Amino acid sequence: MKRDLISMLDVKDDIEEIIDLGIKLKQKSKNGEAIELLKGKTLGMIFEKSSTRTRVSFEVGMTKLGGHAIFLSTNDIQLGRGETTEDTALVLSRYVDIIMYRAKSNKAMKELARGATVPVISGLDDKEHPCQVIADLMTIKEHKGKLKGLNFVYLGDGDNNMAHSYLLGCSMVGMNIRIVSPKKYWPEKYYVEEAKKLGVTVEVTDGVENSTDNADVIATDTWVSMGDEAEKEKRIKEFQGYTIDEKLMDRGKKDAIFMHCLPAYYGYEVTKEVAHGKQSVIFDEAENRLWAQIAIIVTLCK
Ligand code: CP
Ligand code: NVA
């Protein structure tokens, strides 16, 4: 049976192993050792939305593994002209060993995964961004030496892919999570309920002032995700007061780290001072997309 990664819940049982494998292969590769575990294998990468990190890190990752990646933009392939998602999945499965899909919707993601006979990895959809959150958890483990028991605070758009995957990912590894958003942008109930089932403290609030007290990790994401562009002006107004600045960082623990999956929009969800400040680990996160995804690909291809 093939194994997909569409939701964080798909790695509920081996998330820690994947993170540790990422850390191990990163070390190995940096020591100059080869990590060619997937010689001759091919990854097909379908992009329905823009990307810098996802595209480059998956492609470089396959090269490091001794394999190869093919970039498929929906502007160029027949999927963009109305070929069905199911047929696309069935055809690609005859050529490639694994598929990465950045999809407009979770519905399309599930359709592709259903049709494909090879593993499908989500490179983000409107509901979740699991590869990013696995890379982020790996980054937290590298900086803090552990995950369990840490306090994770996310400010900004609570109803987006990052907030949903953080809810599941943090709770799966035993981290407490607080989402701080205007009420209108609270996460979908499903993700809050699933996170609560995992026995950690899960809070959703619109109160910004004390929200970062005692935080080990303070994170945010853009207020205007891909697909939300038509609401840009409205959103910027509604998120006023949710900018992470030095004052909010100072209320967290002394050694708190700042995280952002990028791309960032300075002066909106975070100030440039914080994002490029001494507590920020945003470029470690970006780098760890590469190593975490190498571990994910190896795990799914087993
Ligand atoms: N964080 C992230 O997924 O970035 P890209 O959109 O550049 O891939
Ligand atoms: N929430 C953002 C993440 C970008 C990597 C978006 O979906 O646009």
Side-chain angles (χ1 to χ4, degrees):
M1 249 261 292
K2 64 136 179 171
R3 188 176 169 198
D4 303 318
L5 170 59
I6 307 294
S7 165
M8 285 304 294
L9 291 173
D10 295 329
V11 290
K12 193 168 146 230
D13 297 328
D14 57 354
I15 175 82
E16 302 261 7
E17 283 159 52
I18 293 171
I19 292 168
D20 290 343
L21 180 63
I23 293 173
K24 192 177 114 193
L25 293 175
K26 176 179 181 177
Q27 237 33 51
K28 245 183 133 168
S29 180
K30 293 210 172 201
N31 288 340
E33 287 173 61
I35 53 164
E36 294 180 335
L37 300 168
L38 293 178
K39 267 203 181 128
K41 301 274 184 203
T42 302
L43 168 76
M45 310 190 294
I46 310 170
F47 282 91
E48 230 162 41
K49 291 177 175 176
S50 310
S51 166
T52 300
R53 282 143 287 267
T54 304
R55 177 179 177 178
V56 178
S57 57
F58 266 105
E59 188 159 341
V60 173
M62 278 310 283
T63 306
K64 286 197 184 294
L65 287 168
H68 174 69
I70 307 173
F71 173 71
L72 304 162
S73 156
T74 44
N75 293 329
D76 306 321
I77 61 174
Q78 300 288 7
L79 179 64
R81 292 183 62 249
E83 184 166 18
T84 66
T85 305
E86 186 187 15
D87 284 4
T88 303
L90 285 163
V91 170
L92 287 180
S93 298
R94 298 288 180 109
Y95 301 128
V96 304
D97 302 285
I98 182 161
I99 296 170
M100 193 286 306
Y101 185 25
R102 170 161 285 195
K104 279 203 177 118
S105 72
N106 180 255
K107 188 170 160 265
M109 181 70 72
K110 285 181 174 156
E111 227 172 274
L112 187 101
R114 253 197 316 276
T117 57
V118 298
V120 173
I121 302 177
S122 165
L124 166 156
D125 61 28
D126 58 335
K127 299 290 184 201
E128 281 202 57
H129 195 358
C131 287
Q132 182 68 54
V133 168
I134 296 172
D136 287 4
L137 293 173
M138 174 178 161
T139 309
I140 297 169
K141 187 154 186 190
E142 284 180 333
H143 281 272
K144 301 279 171 201
K146 63 169 190 176
L147 294 169
K148 203 173 174 205
L150 296 178
N151 298 321
F152 185 100
V153 178
Y154 172 96
L155 275 102
D157 186 0
D159 186 22
N160 76 3
N161 39 25
M162 284 304 298
H164 291 156
S165 286
Y166 276 140
L167 274 166
L168 299 177
C170 290
S171 54
M172 277 159 49
V173 298
M175 283 165 61
N176 303 310
I177 177 161
R178 178 183 292 153
I179 304 280
V180 190
S181 284
K183 277 204 177 79
K184 188 175 162 190
Y185 296 100
W186 280 7
E188 282 184 22
K189 271 209 178 77
Y190 166 78
Y191 296 98
V192 178
E193 293 312 315
E194 286 299 313
K196 282 186 177 161
K197 280 187 201 163
L198 296 162
V200 296
T201 307
V202 179
E203 284 172 81
V204 181
T205 172
D206 62 352
V208 177
E209 202 189 336
N210 308 323
S211 64
T212 54
D213 289 7
N214 217 26
D216 295 287
V217 182
I218 300 170
T220 188
D221 183 19
T222 180
W223 295 339
V224 187
S225 283
M226 290 180 277
D228 295 333
E229 290 82 359
E231 299 179 354
K232 186 173 170 189
E233 298 311 318
K234 183 169 73 107
R235 283 174 167 260
I236 287 173
K237 276 200 200 100
E238 288 169 341
F239 282 109
Q240 283 314 306
Y242 287 82
T243 306
I244 299 183
D245 56 13
E246 280 165 333
K247 222 171 89 196
L248 273 176
M249 286 304 296
D250 285 344
R251 295 193 70 140
K253 287 190 185 162
K254 262 207 169 56
D255 62 350
I257 55 174
F258 170 74
M259 303 191 91
H260 191 313
C261 67
L262 303 178
Y265 301 93
Y266 301 132
Y268 295 99
E269 70 269 16
V270 64
T271 62
K272 171 100 190 267
E273 289 70 37
V274 168
H276 283 219
K278 59 183 191 313
Q279 285 167 283
S280 174
V281 300
I282 59 176
F283 298 109
D284 295 340
E285 284 179 82
E287 178 186 341
N288 281 341
R289 287 293 301 277
L290 168 63
W291 306 111
Q293 285 158 197
I294 282 178
I296 292 164
I297 297 168
V298 168
T299 302
L300 297 191
C301 284
K302 247 183 222 159

